[in-house]
Amino acid sequence: MNSNNLALQLGQFQLASAEEAVQAAHRLGVGAISFGGTPRPDLEGASLYSFLWEELDPATQDAIKAIRQHFGRGVIHAPFVDTPLVSSNPYIEQESHRQIFMSVAAAKALSLEAVTVHAGLPAKNMTMNEFRRRLIRVLQSLGEAAAAANTHIALENWRYPSDPDAHLQILEQVGHPNVGATLDVGHISYWFQNEGITGLHSEAELEEYHRRLYQFIDTLGQRIVHVHMHDVRAIDLIDHQGVGRGFLDIDGIVAALHRVHFDGVILFEIGRSDFATAAAESVQRLQHAMAALDQPVSNPNT
């Protein structure tokens, strides 16, 4: 892993032009880019970074392709708000699939290596068995589309699947080589929230968070094709903090990813008003952790 693995969402810089955003990312040493699959018509210039690909006019598509050429690697996050993979309403599900598959089309057009998706949760009138059966079916269809687009579908850990074994079981039942996992290092907090835990207040609780995180990495192993990197505040489990501003053991996480030979894109998902500062801190902290892997281990007996 090196800086070519690191990605930012350029729109968060909130700069006047895409060229300025590209330059800001390059000054930080970032070699990858992330796009979003959800259109943001309320934000000026947002269509260059988050969009429904097949609804864009050719000029906008060309402008996005020009941005993409400045980075060696890239990924995209498919729509996940109000766009469930499985719904009890067939019309909502149909529209959701239309939008999500457009992220796969974007991945093909822009040579993006991963399309992150959320499993969502079953509707109130749906059994878990039905939900899982239908989820697996749509993930298989997405896998087929991903294979044709030379990309991967990456199922992100969220409220569901709620533990590493369940996540692995879904991927095994999908059984498609183009369907893997996105690891979000901060979303382990949702598993605690599922259990009614809203904050971590002791060393033992912090250790349990890391135990679950490392278990995910070890269990999913090379099925992890993409990583969302940020930090978590212990007192209230608020994630998307700048790296180094929470309690996560960044060196340990990078070492664990190295052990399973992860070499995908690592996206900094930072939801801060001081994004530029938080991004700079985060990139530097991760670069330091990656550089430490290349340092020879000293022998105290020599």
Side-chain angles (χ1 to χ4, degrees):
M1 291 180 286
N2 54 49
S3 293
N4 290 328
N5 296 79
L6 306 184
L8 288 168
Q9 298 160 320
L10 298 192
Q12 288 188 269
F13 280 112
Q14 297 182 350
L15 296 171
S17 69
E19 181 179 353
E20 290 175 338
V22 169
Q23 291 173 353
H26 284 172
R27 281 195 297 271
L28 295 180
V30 168
I33 186 172
S34 175
F35 295 101
T38 302
R40 302 292 300 277
D42 54 322
L43 296 178
E44 184 176 355
S47 61
L48 294 177
Y49 312 112
S50 194
F51 43 74
L52 294 175
W53 180 255
E54 292 169 334
E55 293 189 354
L56 298 175
D57 59 76
T60 304
Q61 289 183 345
D62 287 343
I64 294 168
K65 289 177 180 178
I67 294 171
R68 170 68 181 92
Q69 289 174 359
H70 289 283
F71 299 89
R73 306 178 70 171
V75 294
I76 188 168
H77 200 310
F80 62 95
V81 177
D82 297 329
T83 48
L85 285 175
V86 177
S87 173
S88 56
N89 185 321
Y91 300 103
I92 290 176
E93 183 172 294
Q94 182 179 19
E95 174 58 23
S96 296
H97 290 182
R98 185 185 76 88
Q99 294 188 26
I100 291 166
F101 274 85
M102 270 199 265
S103 289
V104 180
K108 181 178 181 179
L110 299 169
S111 299
L112 307 176
E113 58 196 70
V115 181
T116 294
V117 298
H118 284 200
L121 293 167
K124 292 181 179 179
N125 61 343
M126 186 181 298
T127 67
M128 180 56 74
N129 284 340
E130 179 187 357
F131 173 74
R132 285 176 58 89
R133 184 172 62 254
R134 292 171 58 181
L135 173 65
I136 289 165
R137 188 165 62 240
V138 68
L139 287 172
Q140 289 169 336
S141 296
L142 282 165
E144 287 298 301
N150 195 29
T151 188
H152 284 82
I153 301 300
L155 178 64
E156 184 174 354
N157 56 300
W158 188 63
R159 296 189 184 278
Y160 181 82
S162 58
D163 63 70
D165 290 336
H167 206 125
L168 178 61
Q169 186 179 49
I170 289 173
L171 296 184
E172 287 179 338
Q173 290 178 336
V174 170
H176 198 290
N178 289 76
V179 180
T182 287
L183 163 64
D184 189 302
V185 301
H187 282 184
I188 309 301
S189 60
Y190 288 112
W191 300 352
F192 282 87
Q193 291 170 9
N194 287 345
E195 300 165 12
I197 299 170
T198 58
L200 306 180
H201 307 288
S202 69
E203 285 299 320
E205 290 174 328
L206 298 179
E207 289 177 5
E208 175 62 12
Y209 188 104
H210 286 98
R211 186 194 69 78
R212 296 185 185 191
L213 173 54
Y214 296 143
Q215 183 187 8
F216 184 100
I217 296 172
D218 291 339
T219 300
L220 276 295
Q222 294 187 21
R223 294 178 186 267
I224 302 172
V225 297
H226 180 34
V227 168
H228 291 171
M229 182 66 67
H230 46 105
D231 221 323
V232 182
R233 205 161 57 198
I235 191 171
D236 53 10
L237 288 176
I238 298 298
D239 58 359
H240 298 293
Q241 307 295 311
V243 176
R245 296 184 178 186
F247 69 86
L248 293 188
D249 178 5
I250 302 303
D251 293 318
I253 294 169
V254 170
L257 290 170
H258 180 71
R259 284 196 300 273
V260 298
H261 307 290
F262 174 78
D263 193 38
V265 171
I266 300 174
L267 167 64
F268 294 104
E269 282 197 332
I270 306 168
R272 299 288 299 176
S273 56
D274 62 337
F275 173 77
T277 300
E281 293 173 357
S282 298
V283 172
Q284 185 177 30
R285 181 66 186 86
L286 210 66
Q287 287 173 332
H288 177 80
M290 292 188 298
L293 292 175
D294 297 327
Q295 298 300 316
V297 178
S298 61
N299 186 341
N301 297 320
T302 60

